[in-house]
Amino acid sequence: SAKAEICAAIPVKKKNYTKIMFLVDKSFSNQPYQDDPGTDPDMSYRFNLVNDFYQKFKTNDEIQWGYIAFYDEGARAYINSGSDQIPEFTLDGSRMEAALNRLRDDADAGRTPYRAAINMAISAIEIDRQKSINEGVSSTYIVVLVSDGVPSDYMVVGSMPEITDEAAIDADVKKLTAADTTLSTIYYGPNTYPPAPARLERMARLGGGKFSDVNVDGKVPVESLIKFGASEPWVIKRLVVTNMNASPCDDGTIDTDSDADGLCDKDEIRYNTEFAADPTFSRRMRDMRFDPYKRHSFHEVYGDLIFYRHVVYGEELDGNCVDVTDEDKDLLNYCEERFLKSSTPSGPTVQWSEAMRTDADPKNPDSDGDGFLDFHEFVFALGRLTSDSLQYSSPLKVYNGVSMEDILQHHRNPRKPGAAVAYDGEFKFTHVNSQGQNCYEYDQSVLPLYPTKALLPQDTGGHPELAHGDGENTIMIYFMQTAEKAINGPGELRYMFKKMSAADSGFDLDLDFRKFSSYLADQARVSPTRIVNEGQQPAGP
């Protein structure tokens, strides 16, 4: 038996930048006027607030900086690409220092145009987000707005006295923080007008950040208001342990599948006799035979399970497709993914369903978002239905009183779910660790092994991790994990292969997160940023 704990963790990407954009008020109210001493006449508060934070983190090469000042009737990008109206982010510390110096050199003037600053930040982030996608890096955006007053450019047109358009502010904040962006706010103005800090507090709440009022909290450092780094919590949807060398057979049993192609050895041997006696089947087999010790007996592109459907059901194979790469690590190559089809594909959310096509996604190991690998669902579907990998609700199907979710999780045959010894694995949440990540326990004592014949690397159909010796079984352990804030996103596949044989006295799952390989589905058809806070489909697991 085996019992182990595993905790989620943020995936490691090629590069993961935190991009911090400061929006700093330089309106005239900062300066003395008549009997008013001004809120920050020597600019020391604003300068030190940003500079202290910058000095603490300037050596972190995964932080980029942006700086926008707002005053008069508009906003100016102090870090820009050649124009004050074209803001950008930079890794160059000298440019951030120049922006801070400009804060002190430029005079405070005019009114307090929040809207101009927020819209400039929206533009900067939209442009940078597309640049990040093109460069294959991950970027998280943090916006910090610092002001001593009320917005001058969010007024209801024609109102006398002027009335602030709160709905317009909220709409722009939501647009700014629609995906991978938070907004925190700081108020350092007088405490004589409560609506001003109350508004900034609401903006921070809508923007998923924090708020500080200097009158109440004192001069709180920026780092206490924002979060960045490895604190984002992730969740594991499900953990699956499956023997790749044991597949559901036509007679309702689970039996040896030496080549891990989804067809039992005994079925492949039987097909060679029975199909040869059928003129239609025989013609489609083209005088070739199923080889139970070779995943691609008939075709170098299409595995035997797919070729089985061609022989039995006459389904056409695209002879022009030659791409055998398996980018998403779901044990199906690009052409095989295109073969899996559904006329009514469905995901966990409406937008996921809209993003799906009629074929499986070669960049998403779990095309329908139910937590099971595409190949895994295809193998265990009754009749090897090609559509099950594209139906989020397929785990809810019931075969002989047992759900497909149970069948997949506990390695049963849908024809006779009680005919073979079922796995008894249990996966449950236990606690949150010191890094803020969700932790789980997996406990399993039943894992049947089967007498296989060796599978050589050249016969694995491009998946050498499935190769094994005589009597060995390849056990695959995998799970899908997603960010809590995008729980219905495509997420990350973590997977491991272990070799076991009947001679082993026991088994150790060894769920050390560091030993799992990873595939991050950040280029899937459905974008992780599109499903945040989106409603569920009416039905699903």
Side-chain angles (χ1 to χ4, degrees), residues 267-417:
D267 282 349
E268 293 198 58
I269 294 169
R270 178 171 55 82
Y271 294 155
N272 288 328
T273 301
E274 292 185 2
F275 291 178
D278 184 297
T280 300
F281 292 175
S282 178
R283 184 178 68 255
R284 292 172 183 162
M285 288 176 68
R286 296 177 292 187
D287 296 323
M288 301 175 72
R289 296 171 62 83
F290 285 94
D291 185 341
Y293 316 123
K294 185 176 183 179
R295 293 190 88 223
H296 289 216
S297 304
F298 300 87
H299 202 286
E300 61 183 11
V301 172
Y302 298 101
D304 286 359
L305 181 56
I306 287 177
F307 208 86
Y308 165 87
R309 291 197 63 84
H310 167 69
V311 172
V312 176
Y313 302 108
E315 295 177 353
E316 292 298 321
L317 304 178
D318 183 0
N320 294 319
C321 190
V322 295
D323 189 343
V324 294
T325 58
D326 178 21
E327 181 177 341
D328 60 2
K329 310 303 178 185
D330 64 354
L331 302 177
L332 293 166
N333 64 43
Y334 175 83
C335 297
E336 292 172 329
E337 301 254 16
R338 289 184 56 187
F339 179 82
L340 301 188
K341 293 185 180 297
S342 171
S343 59
T344 57
S346 65
T349 67
V350 173
Q351 288 188 5
W352 185 308
S353 298
E354 291 173 349
M356 295 175 73
R357 302 174 190 167
T358 56
D359 59 335
D361 185 348
K363 294 183 181 294
N364 188 353
D366 176 20
S367 294
D368 57 7
D370 59 14
F372 292 108
L373 289 189
D374 291 347
F375 180 72
H376 192 187
E377 289 194 75
F378 182 30
V379 168
F380 280 81
L382 188 61
R384 284 87 171 187
L385 296 175
T386 59
S387 64
D388 272 21
S389 299
L390 295 167
Q391 299 289 343
Y392 178 70
S393 61
S394 61
L396 296 178
K397 292 181 179 178
V398 176
Y399 297 100
N400 299 300
V402 178
S403 71
M404 178 54 73
E405 181 174 23
D406 189 329
I407 288 167
L408 290 166
Q409 194 76 54
H410 297 129
H411 211 94
R412 302 175 186 267
N413 191 322
R415 294 171 178 81
K416 296 180 181 179

